[in-house]
Amino acid sequence: MEKALTLPEILERIGNYLNHTDIISCIRVCKAWKAEFEPRLWRSFKLNFFVPESELPHLPAQQNGKHIGFSVAQRAPSQTLMQQNGKHIRELTLNGMNLEYWSTSIPHCSNLDEVTFMVPWPLRLEGKGLVMTDFGKMIKNHPRLRKIVLESSGGSIYPTHEFLEDLTTCPRLIVLETNDCIFDGPLTEQYMRACASNIRRLSSRGDVFSRDFTISSDLVFEELRYFDLRDIEGMSEDTKLSWISRCPNLISLRWETGSEIPAAKFSQIIPSACPNLTALHLVSPILDEDIARILEVIPRIEKLSLTNTHAGRGAFEALRRHFPTLKDINLQFCMYVESPMIQEILSSCPKLQSISAEILEYEDMPEQQPWVCRNLQMFDVGIQIAPLSFSRQRDLSEIARWDAKHRLVYGRLAQLAGLQYLSICNNSQRPNSAQRSKWLQLSLNAGLGQLETLKQLKFFSCKHFMATAFDKGEADGVVRWILEHWRKLESLEGMTGKEASKATAVLEMMKARDVEFIDYMDYHDEADESYIFSERELDDDDDDFSDEELGHMGSEDSDDSFVW
């Protein structure tokens, strides 16, 4: 047994279940464990070079002769440590910059696959371009790079001609994410041509492009598969549509804009220009009839997100033809989507793996319409049951029927044994008393115990339901049951109720089991975003790209990076 725990293949399996605290403990056990686990400690790494000058008044305001407003913070490993361990770093986040450190230590990261640059701000005008030119020189020395992300620490990013030239020297680069970048004049054309080479996943968020730019007839994004276009400025919606139409192998499109999407032109151009498009995410004040027009002409939809649109009965009617292939649907904050539509999706889409919507009423869940989506991994729908009457004359039979409704709902959920994400309350931040009276009861007496089948559950959200359980004094028993039966649970989202002091013991219980408690009132606008399934997690049958190539190439922040 002792020898087995030194075998590399056994240690590799063990390492897949360890967080950074565990790894630090393991490397102290013996030399064999240190050799196996220490590289994991360096695999995903964050270096903090700069902090705001106001936070470090004892440091001089100017470093390296040109970067004003930020000062060097001693939060980076020594050159000796980087020389010994740099080869283990695969994912590197640079918060700020230090040219001397970059030139002496970063070259040791010889196997770097991904780099995220948190561009320092504020800077003097002459320093804004120099930052990106210097970053370009760094990436030029790492030809293995597959993913580059530019994030702003506040303000705009100013890519330069030199930086965009250096981008083209990374032959393996397939993912590029830019945020709040200014591509003035000829830089728009140069950016486009840099993206048209090998980029397969492109994200442009809040970027500003030249207003008079038109896409050249020879510009084609042959390799682009995943396109994320959010709130970019300068371009007209027609120019954006022209850009999308130059992606003949596009699989997934997210188009987020405050303006109406030109649906008529989209319907005419995109089906033939992008015949492989199967994932469509539209965030726009687009009308119901325009969504229907688009869904009627797209050959096949597997993933659909219509958050904050005017989707309604027309769009739903057009969606029915895609039920056999639908895997993922998000209808959050769509005021014209009705409860019977959600029930029909659950009972008609056998391949469904993820669903998000506002409300599903018990009355719309007849027993003769069972849910067929037994491979569902994510269920994010607020479930409501008509409340008991307020009459003092209500009898025991009425209470029994009300309890039976709860048990039926929990029984339906218990059949979804593959769930990893479960949210049973809608996203109303401050519901009124009428809404609260319809909530599904978070109680073992109401049938919660039937959910012991959910062995794979990692995230559970009960939002306001948890506050009610605290107020009734039932939260302690509920949380004990959850921790005992959902062994893989990582996060629980809820509220602590009117008296937070009652929650102390429960929260300590969760902390002891290493389960994170997310207070919905503090994080309601971002908690769900942090647990979005990636394209790979929901596409087990997509063989176009290997896990090695795309991996976790989304833009969500990872908690696995070691911060120096």
Side-chain angles (χ1 to χ4, degrees):
M1 183 65 178
E2 184 178 347
K3 290 183 178 180
L5 290 177
T6 62
L7 294 174
E9 56 269 29
I10 299 296
L11 295 180
E12 183 179 1
R13 292 290 297 274
I14 293 174
N16 293 334
Y17 297 94
L18 303 179
N19 58 32
H20 280 102
T21 303
D22 297 332
I23 292 174
I24 290 173
S25 299
C26 287
I27 63 178
R28 296 170 177 167
V29 172
C30 63
K31 290 182 179 180
W33 281 36
K34 184 176 187 294
E36 173 63 31
F37 292 124
E38 191 170 40
R40 290 176 176 269
L41 196 63
W42 291 79
R43 189 167 296 174
S44 183
F45 212 82
K46 183 174 182 178
L47 298 176
N48 287 311
F49 293 117
F50 289 83
V51 295
E53 186 180 330
S54 59
E55 296 181 15
L56 294 172
H58 59 287
L59 291 179
Q62 181 169 340
Q63 299 286 344
N64 296 331
K66 56 189 176 187
H67 303 307
I68 308 300
F70 277 68
S71 299
V72 174
Q74 302 301 319
R75 297 178 185 173
S78 67
Q79 185 174 345
T80 301
L81 277 175
M82 289 297 287
Q83 188 173 1
Q84 293 172 347
N85 298 288
K87 62 181 178 294
H88 302 311
I89 298 177
R90 298 293 188 272
E91 305 165 21
L92 180 63
T93 298
L94 302 170
N95 186 9
M97 64 180 299
N98 180 327
L99 290 181
E100 181 179 355
Y101 191 91
W102 280 12
S103 62
T104 58
S105 297
I106 302 301
H108 297 302
C109 304
S110 54
N111 296 308
L112 200 59
D113 289 325
E114 305 179 15
V115 61
T116 298
F117 184 27
M118 307 291 294
V119 182
W121 184 90
L123 296 168
R124 284 181 178 172
L125 185 60
E126 65 270 19
K128 292 180 178 180
L130 290 172
V131 167
M132 294 308 302
T133 299
D134 292 337
F135 179 63
K137 293 176 182 177
M138 192 210 82
I139 64 173
K140 191 174 182 179
N141 294 322
H142 292 275
R144 287 176 49 91
L145 277 174
R146 294 196 164 199
K147 177 180 178 180
I148 294 176
V149 180
L150 297 181
E151 292 274 6
S152 173
S153 58
S156 299
I157 300 173
Y158 290 79
T160 61
H161 167 76
E162 291 81 6
F163 165 74
L164 293 174
E165 271 195 341
D166 291 333
L167 270 185
T168 62
T169 65
C170 300
R172 295 164 61 94
L173 186 66
I174 58 174
V175 180
L176 179 63
E177 299 180 10
T178 56
N179 298 268
D180 302 310
C181 289
I182 307 294
F183 296 101
D184 285 333
L187 289 181
T188 295
E189 174 84 16
Q190 190 178 1
Y191 164 82
M192 292 282 182
R193 296 203 174 275
C195 295
S197 53
N198 297 316
I199 301 298
R200 300 188 184 186
R201 185 186 291 270
L202 179 63
S203 176
S204 176
R205 304 184 184 186
D207 295 334
V208 180
F209 296 93
S210 177
R211 292 187 179 276
D212 57 358
F213 174 74
T214 56
I215 298 180
S216 304
S217 58
D218 65 329
L219 196 56
V220 179
F221 300 82
E222 193 76 34
E223 298 297 327
L224 197 59
R225 305 299 199 267
Y226 302 93
F227 196 4
D228 188 358
L229 203 59
R230 303 195 201 184
D231 298 319
I232 66 173
E233 300 178 24
M235 275 188 194
S236 67
E237 302 305 315
D238 284 343
T239 304
K240 296 175 190 175
L241 182 59
S242 177
W243 188 1
I244 296 166
S245 70
R246 304 298 180 86
C247 309
N249 294 303
L250 195 64
I251 294 172
S252 175
L253 170 66
R254 181 185 177 101
W255 190 349
E256 186 170 333
T257 175
S259 304
E260 283 193 36
I261 290 171
K265 293 181 179 179
F266 188 103
S267 302
Q268 294 170 0
I269 298 172
I270 298 303
S272 57
C274 309
N276 299 321
L277 184 64
T278 56
L280 189 59
H281 313 277
L282 303 179
V283 184
S284 159
I286 186 172
L287 300 177
D288 180 47
E289 56 265 32
D290 289 332
I291 298 172
R293 178 183 296 178
I294 292 173
L295 294 180
E296 286 169 356
V297 297
I298 298 293
R300 184 181 68 173
I301 290 290
E302 295 182 2
K303 302 179 184 181
L304 181 66
S305 177
L306 299 173
T307 308
N308 283 313
T309 66
H310 296 287
R313 295 184 180 182
F316 187 77
E317 183 66 33
L319 178 63
R320 282 194 175 103
R321 60 184 284 265
H322 299 290
F323 280 176
T325 59
L326 194 64
K327 294 181 180 180
D328 180 3
I329 187 163
N330 188 341
L331 299 172
Q332 291 280 5
F333 309 111
C334 296
M335 65 176 67
Y336 301 112
V337 171
E338 301 167 346
S339 171
M341 300 177 186
I342 306 306
Q343 167 61 20
E344 186 173 346
I345 291 172
L346 290 166
S347 60
S348 307
C349 302
K351 293 186 177 181
L352 197 67
Q353 297 180 22
S354 171
I355 183 169
S356 297
E358 288 297 302
I359 292 175
L360 174 60
E361 300 275 0
Y362 168 82
E363 286 70 19
D364 299 316
M365 299 168 54
E367 291 188 34
Q368 62 270 27
Q369 291 183 14
W371 296 346
V372 299
C373 47
R374 297 302 173 87
N375 294 320
L376 204 67
Q377 298 175 31
M378 178 176 181
F379 183 98
D380 183 8
V381 182
I383 299 179
Q384 294 188 352
I385 297 177
L388 289 167
S389 65
F390 289 98
S391 171
R392 294 182 179 179
Q393 303 301 319
R394 67 188 183 193
D395 55 25
L396 292 177
S397 63
E398 182 183 355
I399 297 175
R401 288 193 298 272
W402 193 65
D403 288 340
K405 292 177 181 179
H406 280 80
R407 286 192 291 273
L408 187 147
V409 171
Y410 277 120
R412 285 278 183 101
L413 292 172
Q415 295 172 3
L416 308 176
L419 280 182
Q420 297 181 34
Y421 180 116
L422 174 61
S423 175
I424 55 176
C425 182
N426 66 27
N427 290 295
S428 175
Q429 186 179 352
R430 289 183 171 84
N432 56 39
S433 57
Q435 290 173 316
R436 288 196 297 269
S437 65
K438 295 182 179 180
W439 292 345
L440 185 68
Q441 299 297 298
L442 187 68
S443 164
L444 293 172
N445 292 333
L448 176 65
Q450 295 180 74
L451 301 189
E452 64 180 347
T453 57
L454 307 186
K455 305 296 186 183
Q456 306 304 315
L457 202 64
K458 296 180 180 179
F459 183 100
F460 179 59
S461 175
C462 50
K463 302 181 178 76
H464 311 283
F465 299 174
M466 178 62 78
T468 303
F470 273 116
D471 294 340
K472 290 182 177 181
E474 299 177 356
D476 183 88
V478 167
V479 172
R480 285 183 186 277
W481 182 91
I482 286 174
L483 296 178
E484 180 182 349
H485 291 86
W486 296 342
R487 294 289 184 174
K488 293 187 178 182
L489 193 70
E490 298 172 358
S491 303
L492 190 155
E493 181 188 39
M495 292 170 54
T496 55
K498 298 176 182 178
E499 299 183 27
S501 58
K502 293 182 179 180
T504 303
V506 174
L507 298 182
E508 287 296 326
M509 192 192 316
M510 293 173 57
K511 185 177 179 181
R513 276 287 308 277
D514 201 23
V515 174
E516 176 190 19
F517 179 76
I518 301 172
D519 193 315
Y520 177 63
M521 295 306 293
D522 291 338
Y523 300 103
H524 67 273
D525 60 340
E526 60 183 343
D528 286 354
E529 282 292 321
S530 68
Y531 206 90
I532 292 177
F533 285 100
S534 70
E535 301 283 353
R536 292 299 306 175
E537 286 174 312
L538 288 177
D539 262 349
D540 293 333
D541 57 345
D542 184 0
D543 295 324
D544 287 343
F545 312 102
S546 66
D547 288 332
E548 183 185 23
E549 286 180 314
L550 290 182
H552 48 83
M553 298 263 180
S555 59
E556 292 75 27
D557 291 334
S558 171
D559 292 331
D560 294 329
S561 295
F562 185 77
V563 181
W564 191 269

